[in-house]
Amino acid sequence: QVQLVESGGGLVQPGGSLRLSCVVSGSIFSIYAMGWHRQAPGKQRELVATLTTGGGTNYADSVKGRFTISRDNAKNTVYLQMDSLKPEDTAVYYCNVKAQRDYWGQGTQVTVSS
């Protein structure tokens, strides 16, 4: 059974940093990308960052230069380093694996507030 478990969310002041982690367990064949999405209250889920198996990255314009996606294959973990956080980054962040189908984690809350 495939599981994606996120961690690392929390409350942080504007300008602060957080690092989200997503541990992937179970067998997934033909993964071609892993990534992070987020959903703020009253808004649609949106792409934050993706990392392909070839090492290519893609970021939402709103997070470019502030967020960094990476992975540790030995730990089956994908990370999202978030720096210079803004109140508009407040959302539930979801880990995503793209293979023959999409896999999703349960989400972790990030709140940016003073």
Side-chain angles (χ1 to χ4, degrees), residues 11 31 48 93 106:
L11 173 64
I31 294 175
V48 176
Y93 284 70
Q106 82 289 350

Side-chain angles (χ1 to χ4, degrees), residues 1-5 23-28 101 103:
Q1 182 179 357
V2 174
Q3 281 190 313
L4 280 63
V5 180
V23 179
V24 181
S25 61
S27 297
I28 304 178
R101 49 156 286 194
Y103 296 87

Side-chain angles (χ1 to χ4, degrees), residues 44-90:
Q44 290 188 329
R45 190 173 298 189
E46 63 175 357
L47 173 70
V48 176
T50 58
L51 175 62
T52 69
T53 52
T57 57
N58 183 48
Y59 295 93
D61 287 343
S62 59
V63 307
K64 282 181 181 176
R66 300 189 297 120
F67 291 10
T68 304
I69 188 171
S70 62
R71 65 184 292 180
D72 184 332
N73 291 331
K75 296 182 179 180
N76 292 326
T77 301
V78 61
Y79 302 98
L80 185 67
Q81 177 67 42
M82 305 187 294
D83 299 317
S84 302
L85 282 160
K86 304 176 181 180
E88 50 264 43
D89 295 318
T90 295

